[in-house]
Amino acid sequence: MELRQLTYFVTVAEELHFGRAAERLHIVQSAVSMQIQRLERELGAELFDRTPRRVRLTPAGERLLPEARTVLAAAERARAAVAPPPGLRIGTSTGLGAHLDRVLAAFARRAPDVPVELFSLPAAERLERVARGRLDAAFVRAAEPRQGVHVLPLWPDPLVAALPAAHPLAGREEIGVEELAELPLSLTERRNNPALVDLVVGACHEAGFTPVPGPASGSLQDTLATIGTRPLWTVVYASHARVLHSPRVAFVPFRPPGLALSTGLAVRAAAGPPHLDTLLLACGDHEN
């Protein structure tokens, strides 16, 4: 007696139709009939009363059905007992910097047997994948509300100014936004990160000036390389600046209250991912 034969038997018993059972099993009807016949020969009993108009269980089939379901359930439990633990698929962005390293280290201490797979994606795609269940969670900043996604607040992410290392302001412990009025500002296009662009441009307006637009670059690395060769400025998350190595670029904090965006963890609103509590604890470890 094979598990496959019991699976076919239970499916036919539920459908009481060989054709519909074959469709559920994604195999041809003749294969279902052949395996049921083999099971009947092995057991020495007919399990179905077949007529051209209907299929029904015989008394022997009725007695076998609950036992077959018990065997199949036990087989599934056995598979689950030895299966590797489900992993965690997390959406990230490059700006997380030291935050991500510390959270992953804290999670590994709490759940060493749980594999973590990281996906660096644009913010909109991170949210889309969480909503569709293709990511278990995603780190996001100042995320726009999205149906089916709940964002759990984590921590504020301060921004620092990135300046040419040779600029007079580069040696300061902190600067005000107004001191950057004469330098062109290089930012990503607003459609790529509306919250960040609105925050920085709004801070410039509050400081009494409209920033001079600098060259738009395709990546932060390109922007920093340009800043190292000409008078420009941009903003970088402080957590990311700590892991960057750009000798021709200086990272200077803004004078309080500074500039910051909130970081949160996006998860499906319907059901949280596996190990969510452990991941949140790891994020809390990071905050400490």
Side-chain angles (χ1 to χ4, degrees):
M1 185 185 305
E2 300 176 4
L3 291 176
R4 177 181 56 172
Q5 293 171 336
L6 292 180
T7 299
Y8 291 3
F9 164 72
V10 170
T11 306
V12 175
E14 291 173 348
E15 295 290 340
L16 293 179
H17 191 284
F18 278 79
R20 289 195 297 270
E23 290 178 3
R24 270 182 57 183
L25 294 165
H26 303 290
I27 58 175
V28 296
Q29 181 175 335
S30 58
V32 177
S33 299
M34 182 176 64
Q35 292 300 326
I36 294 297
Q37 290 169 2
R38 288 181 178 178
L39 180 60
E40 289 176 324
R41 286 197 299 270
E42 184 173 346
L43 295 175
E46 289 191 356
L47 302 175
F48 294 100
D49 181 11
R50 308 167 179 82
T51 69
R53 302 180 66 90
R54 67 178 183 179
V55 174
R56 63 181 180 181
L57 286 165
T58 64
E62 291 177 350
R63 293 192 296 272
L64 177 61
L65 182 57
E67 302 299 333
R69 284 174 170 155
T70 299
V71 170
L72 292 175
E76 186 59 34
R77 289 194 299 272
R79 292 190 190 97
V82 298
L88 201 58
R89 302 163 299 173
I90 303 177
T92 69
S93 67
T94 54
L96 287 168
H99 283 303
L100 183 61
D101 294 337
R102 294 178 185 178
V103 169
L104 292 178
F107 184 84
R109 289 194 298 270
R110 292 177 177 273
D113 296 328
V114 178
V116 176
E117 192 172 4
L118 301 179
F119 297 84
S120 182
L121 301 164
E125 188 171 351
R126 271 175 272 156
L127 291 171
E128 171 70 16
R129 291 197 183 192
V130 169
R132 297 176 60 184
R134 295 173 60 194
L135 285 178
D136 298 306
F139 291 104
V140 292
R141 291 189 180 94
E144 294 288 333
R146 180 184 176 87
Q147 185 175 4
V149 176
H150 181 51
V151 178
L152 307 172
L154 293 178
W155 55 71
D157 246 336
L159 293 161
V160 297
L163 309 165
H167 194 276
L169 293 174
R172 299 272 293 276
E173 292 187 2
E174 58 185 33
I175 57 175
V177 176
E178 70 280 358
E179 297 179 85
L180 299 167
E182 301 302 321
L183 286 177
L185 170 62
S186 181
L187 282 180
T188 185
E189 295 183 17
R190 186 181 182 278
R191 60 184 175 84
N192 296 330
N193 196 334
L196 175 68
V197 172
D198 290 349
L199 175 67
V200 176
V201 174
C204 293
H205 290 163
E206 290 181 8
F209 71 97
T210 298
V212 178
S217 298
S219 67
L220 176 61
Q221 182 178 358
D222 292 342
T223 300
L224 295 178
T226 304
I227 289 175
T229 62
R230 56 190 293 189
L232 292 169
W233 72 284
T234 190
V235 292
V236 178
Y237 293 104
S239 59
H240 190 39
R242 288 194 289 269
V243 299
L244 291 174
H245 302 284
S246 301
R248 294 187 298 175
V249 178
F251 301 103
V252 186
F254 289 104
R255 185 179 302 125
L259 302 179
L261 288 176
S262 61
T263 294
L265 189 69
V267 298
R268 293 185 72 185
H275 316 296
L276 175 60
D277 290 342
T278 305
L279 180 58
L280 290 174
L281 286 172
C283 293
D285 287 349
H286 162 80
E287 286 187 303
N288 296 330

